Amino acid sequence: AVVSTQSTGETLYNLGRCYHSLGLRHFARIYYNRALATLPSVCPYVQRQLNELNETEDPPLEMKDLSLNREIVFNLCEIYTASGSDHLARQLLYKYFVV
């Protein structure tokens, strides 16, 4: 069976989410980081649509940010902040959210 990168990243995210829900943040962090490394920074569908648009047009709302990166980074920032590692949370935010 062929497993896509997107489904692998989503599986890792779900494992991280389960550990996070159980309060096992040290395990959640591991799976969130693996998922973040596996997933593309922009969903391939969104990238194709963005490539087809002119520079002057804005993409429709339903096509923006279809990947899990936003949720993963938010959860990792929550874990880092709770553990007192504000600098790690800030690094993630600058890497993934600063335009």
Side-chain angles (χ1 to χ4, degrees), residues 59-78:
L61 290 176
E62 67 269 13
M63 292 181 353
K64 291 184 178 179
D65 271 338
L66 295 180
S67 73
L68 291 172
N69 290 349
R70 184 180 2 183
E71 288 81 7
I72 294 169
V73 170
F74 176 81
N75 292 340
L76 276 171
C77 286
E78 187 177 74

Side-chain angles (χ1 to χ4, degrees), residues 3-98:
V3 179
S4 72
T5 304
Q6 182 71 26
S7 64
T8 302
E10 190 170 344
T11 302
L12 291 168
Y13 165 76
N14 288 332
L15 285 169
R17 191 72 196 114
C18 288
Y19 283 122
H20 197 178
S21 297
L22 292 171
L24 300 171
R25 292 183 290 202
H26 53 290
F27 288 122
R29 182 187 56 80
I30 292 168
Y31 284 101
Y32 284 147
N33 279 317
R34 287 181 185 170
L36 201 56
T38 304
L39 292 169
S41 59
V42 176
C43 177
Y45 172 75
V46 174
Q47 188 61 52
R48 279 195 305 274
Q49 296 300 320
L50 291 174
N51 290 340
E52 293 174 3
L53 294 172
N54 291 332
E55 291 91 20
T56 58
E57 294 181 30
D58 287 330
L61 290 176
E62 67 269 13
M63 292 181 353
K64 291 184 178 179
D65 271 338
L66 295 180
S67 73
L68 291 172
N69 290 349
R70 184 180 2 183
E71 288 81 7
I72 294 169
V73 170
F74 176 81
N75 292 340
L76 276 171
C77 286
E78 187 177 74
I79 290 170
Y80 289 149
T81 302
S83 67
S85 298
D86 293 333
H87 63 286
L88 291 176
R90 198 173 304 115
Q91 283 177 351
L92 275 177
L93 289 174
Y94 285 144
K95 182 175 181 180
Y96 289 95
F97 288 122
V98 175

